[in-house]
């Protein structure tokens, strides 16, 4: 900016300054990595030590020369905002110094794949104090160890991410405290993160709407997946937060059905659980859609209305301090009442049915989970995937337990009740003591309905909550389908 010269006594004199502002990047738009590093250190509760994080390396598929699609490690992203391969990060807690290490320049890589980040580019783009090439990492670590390691450890996430400091034999490490500290930090989202989750939800809403507009023309589940994905990619959301689930008919009762390749003909509903990712942040959205201008059967409509009631009641109860367990119990009681009214559950005491586990035959997963950098995001009770459970266990929304802590402002959680009529689950229930509560002749009439799940992402606020999911559901969803058929 150049301030104009002033005229004094007919002469042009410089009575002001020339100011030259060079804008090298908008700080306000940078991922708040430094704030996250300080937050993680506060949760660690120490005033010294070095946090050392390894970014996702480039890895080829087994027995192949093709690289696996890159997905940044989320703990690394949280402290860096860097979505590039082969990077490292240190945060010196005492001196509040966040350093990013980027790959050394590699001519062959640059020619084939494009250049990796230069130090200047990285410094401009990310909210870190220093950027250095990988070649400096060993020396920097060695000198930190010499000065500080006697009194403070290097904090690492996992034993497998130990720094290899060749010249130093004894390195004091702590691989226990960093992960719970970062989980506690990640559980509460800041404004930047909420913006990302909101944006992911906006794109998911567009894609769900597109499916509703075209569903009457579709003949196979593949087309639903294809249109959802195409819409997200066209809006620059290249990645999905998880594999798309587009289950029609009986497939709607398979909670994580991902084959998505069966004909829609003769099916009543399709359960579409699909959410775009935006800048590494997830959305998680489920809509259950009738295949036709209206509900294909009374049975289908009744189950939709029941799940709608479970969801609306639970969302309305959200405020700070409320636990997921209490919301989940509330959803079960609504399901029990609804299934009793429909004759699927017998005329027994509600509490007795609840404690028998009979409602869990039809609503077998938890009510919801945190959403953030992971679709099943971390919390102080760390999630199944990271606890090393089997992949199939990790996919399910775990049941909230009595020890689940109260909701706090800044948390984003899904509320995703469902009622399903799985042939396998019903057959299994016949063999259990809870069988006496179920009217199987009625239950099997719903098998062709498959199941209904409705899922929104809810931000807990100081005043209560805000629903971040804007994909049409209920009457609005039906209207869109009807209008599209009429046109
Ligand atoms: N889309 C996975 C889930 O709802 O948890
Ligand atoms: Mn979910
Ligand atoms: Mn989902």
């Amino acid at each position: 900016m150049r301030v104009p010269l002033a005229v004094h006594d007919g002469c042009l004199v410089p009575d002001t300054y020339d100011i030259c502002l060079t804008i090298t990047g908008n700080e306000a738009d940078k991922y708040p990595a430094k704030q996250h590093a300080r937050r993680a250190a506060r949760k660690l509760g120490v005033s010294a030590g070095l946090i050392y994080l390894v970014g996702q390396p480039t890895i080829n598929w087994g027995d192949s020369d093709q690289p696996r699609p890159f997905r940044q490690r989320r703990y690394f992203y949280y402290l860096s905002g860097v979505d590039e391969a082969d990077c490292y990060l240190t945060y010196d807690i005492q001196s509040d110094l966040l350093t990013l290490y980027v790959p050394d320049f590699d001519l062959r890589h640059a020619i084939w794949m494009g250049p990796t980040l230069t130090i200047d580019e990285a410094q401009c783009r990310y909210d870190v104090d220093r950027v250095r090439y990988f070649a400096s990492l060993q020396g920097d670590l060695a000198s930190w160890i010499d000065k500080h390691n006697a009194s403070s450890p290097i904090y690492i996430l996992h034993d497998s991410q130990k720094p290899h400091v060749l010249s130093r034999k004894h390195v004091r490490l702590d691989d226990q405290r960093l992960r719970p500290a970062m989980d506690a930090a990640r559980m509460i989202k800041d404004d930047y993160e909420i913006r990302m989750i909101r944006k992911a939800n906006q794109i998911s809403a567009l894609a769900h709407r597109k499916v509703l507009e075209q569903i009457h023309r579709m003949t196979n589940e593949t087309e639903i997946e294809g249109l959802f994905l195409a819409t997200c990619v066209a809006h620059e959301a290249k990645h999905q937060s998880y594999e798309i689930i587009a289950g029609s008919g009986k497939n709607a009762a398979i909670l994580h059905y991902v084959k998505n390749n069966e004909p829609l003909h003769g099916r009543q509903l399709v359960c579409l659980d699909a959410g775009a990712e935006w800048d590494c942040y997830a959305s998680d959205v489920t809509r259950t859609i009738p295949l036709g201008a209206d509900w294909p059967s009374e049975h289908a409509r009744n189950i939709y209305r029941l799940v709608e009631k479970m969801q609306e009641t639970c969302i309305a109860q959200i405020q700070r301090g409320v636990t997921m367990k209490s919301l989940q119990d509330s959803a079960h009681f609504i399901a029990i009442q609804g299934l009793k009214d429909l004759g699927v559950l017998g005329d027994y005491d509600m509490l007795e049915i609840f404690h028998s586990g009979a409602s869990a035959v039809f609503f077998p997963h938890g009510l919801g989970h945190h959403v953030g950098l992971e679709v099943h995001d971390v919390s102080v009770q760390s999630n199944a995937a990271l606890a090393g459970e089997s992949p199939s266990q990790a996919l399910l929304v775990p049941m909230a337990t009595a020890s689940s802590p109260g909701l706090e402002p800044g948390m984003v959680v899904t509320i995703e009740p469902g009622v399903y009529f799985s042939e396998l689950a019903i057959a299994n229930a016949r063999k259990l003591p809870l069988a006496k509560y179920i009217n199987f002749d009625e239950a099997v009439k719903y098998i062709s309905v498959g199941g209904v799940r409705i899922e929104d992402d809810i931000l807990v606020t100081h005043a209560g909550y805000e629903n971040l999911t804007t994909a049409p559901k209920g009457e609005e969803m039906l209207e869109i389908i009807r209008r599209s058929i009429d046109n």
Side-chain angles (χ1 to χ4, degrees), residues 151-352:
S151 54
S152 344
I154 297 181
Y155 292 99
I156 59 172
L157 281 176
H158 313 284
D159 189 51
S160 60
Q161 292 185 5
K162 281 181 187 154
H164 297 289
V165 190
L166 299 174
S167 52
R168 302 294 179 280
K169 275 218 173 84
H170 301 291
V171 180
R172 239 184 94 205
L173 298 170
D174 182 325
D175 63 1
Q176 297 296 309
R177 294 174 64 186
L178 182 57
R179 211 182 84 188
M182 288 192 70
D183 289 348
R186 282 174 56 182
M187 198 170 62
I188 306 295
K189 276 67 184 175
D190 58 34
D191 289 349
Y192 187 101
E193 295 181 284
I194 292 163
R195 273 208 322 272
M196 299 302 108
I197 300 171
R198 199 189 295 281
K199 174 78 182 180
N201 263 286
Q202 281 164 356
I203 295 171
S204 298
L206 283 171
H208 274 279
R209 186 177 281 272
K210 264 276 188 286
V211 170
L212 295 177
E213 287 166 358
Q214 298 294 329
I215 191 88
H216 64 285
R217 295 206 176 91
M218 296 183 184
T219 57
N220 195 290
E221 294 165 354
T222 49
E223 293 165 72
I224 301 172
E225 175 171 354
L227 181 59
F228 191 92
L229 191 57
T231 309
C232 293
V233 174
H235 287 86
E236 298 176 45
K238 191 171 159 62
H239 302 293
Q240 294 289 301
S241 307
Y242 51 91
E243 253 189 291
I244 293 171
I245 297 166
S248 62
K250 291 179 186 178
N251 298 334
I254 302 173
L255 303 181
H256 284 270
Y257 170 83
V258 291
K259 288 185 181 162
N260 306 342
N261 60 0
E262 291 193 11
L264 301 176
H265 184 71
R267 308 269 165 101
Q268 298 198 33
L269 303 175
V270 60
C271 179
L272 174 59
D273 185 344
E277 184 177 289
W278 185 260
D279 276 359
C280 296
Y281 280 84
S283 63
D284 189 4
V285 181
T286 308
R287 295 295 179 253
T288 305
I289 308 166
L291 291 163
D294 208 338
W295 295 109
S297 65
E298 272 298 295
H299 285 88
R301 188 181 54 187
N302 288 338
I303 299 305
Y304 189 91
R305 295 281 179 248
L306 176 55
V307 176
E308 190 176 46
K309 186 171 176 192
M310 289 159 76
Q311 202 208 25
E312 284 174 359
T313 309
C314 290
I315 292 176
Q317 287 172 21
I318 289 183
Q319 57 174 307
R320 76 185 314 165
V322 166
T323 65
M324 286 301 277
K325 167 78 171 124
S326 70
L327 296 176
Q328 184 176 279
D329 289 354
S330 173
H332 271 273
F333 282 108
I334 296 165
I336 291 168
Q337 184 62 61
L339 291 172
K340 275 176 73 170
D341 293 345
L342 295 173
V344 172
L345 290 175
D347 190 17
Y348 293 90
D349 176 66
M350 300 264 287
L351 210 56
E352 194 183 331

Side-chain angles (χ1 to χ4, degrees), residues 242 256 273 284-286 367-369 371 375-376 397 414 416 453 455 457:
Y242 51 91
H256 284 270
D273 185 344
D284 189 4
V285 181
T286 308
L367 179 68
H369 51 84
V371 178
V375 62
H376 293 170
V397 181
T414 63
E416 52 174 308
R453 177 164 67 255
E455 175 174 32
D457 303 343

